[in-house]
Amino acid sequence: MKKILMTLVAVFAAVNMNAQVYVGGSVAFEAWSSQKLAGDKSESVFKLLPEIGYTLNDEWAIGTVIGYQSDKFNGVFGKSETAFTFNPYARYTFANVGKVNFFVDGGIDFTTATKADWNELAVGFKPGLAVSLSDNISFVSHIGFIGWDQYNPDGDDNNVSKFGLSLSGANLTFGLYYSF
């Protein structure tokens, strides 16, 4: 029993010697508008995405984003709404070039609106890069989304499902991380 306990302590210590907790987050902004003949509509989306994670080794990390989204519509909708986002992920760093790490986050992204009755569920991958500014601070950017996304607005028979690669402004985020 003593040998098993000592082995578990040694394994736990070895894992924690390389492990780091990181906190930070990202912000995103997207805006679009149409001209008069296309309906004279516009929308602006602001996202605040705080994040916490745990670096397991040089290649793998796990974490989660718990965020806030604000949508403002003009034109046909003429309203605003807020939404809550929860996104647990596993991060794989596949290339290191000096102070730049290229990674991909694989996870599930769930968003639900507070005023309007809609949900969105996405499962897929978000490629990104992290630039080490110092020993503890990194600039991080996610660029795009590859996977499946289903939007479920209020009501029956009106779900929207998508599969593929999206490189829109809605999938571009910039942020800072602090590693302990």
Side-chain angles (χ1 to χ4, degrees), residues 45-61:
V45 179
F46 173 76
K47 296 179 182 180
L48 182 61
L49 307 165
E51 186 171 339
I52 186 166
Y54 186 78
T55 303
L56 301 172
N57 57 38
D58 289 340
E59 295 176 338
W60 288 98

Side-chain angles (χ1 to χ4, degrees), residues 89-157:
Y89 64 85
R91 174 170 294 164
Y92 177 70
T93 301
F94 58 88
N96 299 49
V97 181
K99 294 185 178 253
V100 179
N101 292 331
F102 295 92
F103 64 84
V104 63
D105 288 351
I108 299 170
D109 193 353
F110 176 74
T111 304
T112 184
T114 54
K115 289 182 186 176
D117 184 17
W118 64 266
N119 297 314
E120 186 171 7
L121 177 66
V123 179
F125 303 96
K126 295 178 184 178
L129 62 93
V131 179
S132 185
L133 303 176
S134 71
D135 288 341
N136 298 89
I137 298 176
S138 298
F139 169 80
V140 178
S141 179
H142 289 90
I143 306 150
F145 175 77
I146 302 165
W148 174 80
D149 186 356
Q150 181 171 1
Y151 175 70
N152 180 10
D154 184 27
D156 294 329
D157 299 326

Side-chain angles (χ1 to χ4, degrees), residues 25-32 42-50 66-73 79-85 111-112 118 169-175:
S26 301
V27 294
F29 180 75
E30 176 187 24
W32 65 267
S42 66
E43 178 185 12
S44 60
V45 179
F46 173 76
K47 296 179 182 180
L48 182 61
L49 307 165
I66 300 175
Y68 165 82
Q69 174 177 323
S70 172
D71 293 331
K72 298 204 184 310
F73 302 98
K79 63 180 181 178
S80 65
E81 60 186 48
T82 58
F84 168 80
T85 298
T111 304
T112 184
W118 64 266
N171 298 314
L172 178 63
T173 61
F174 301 101

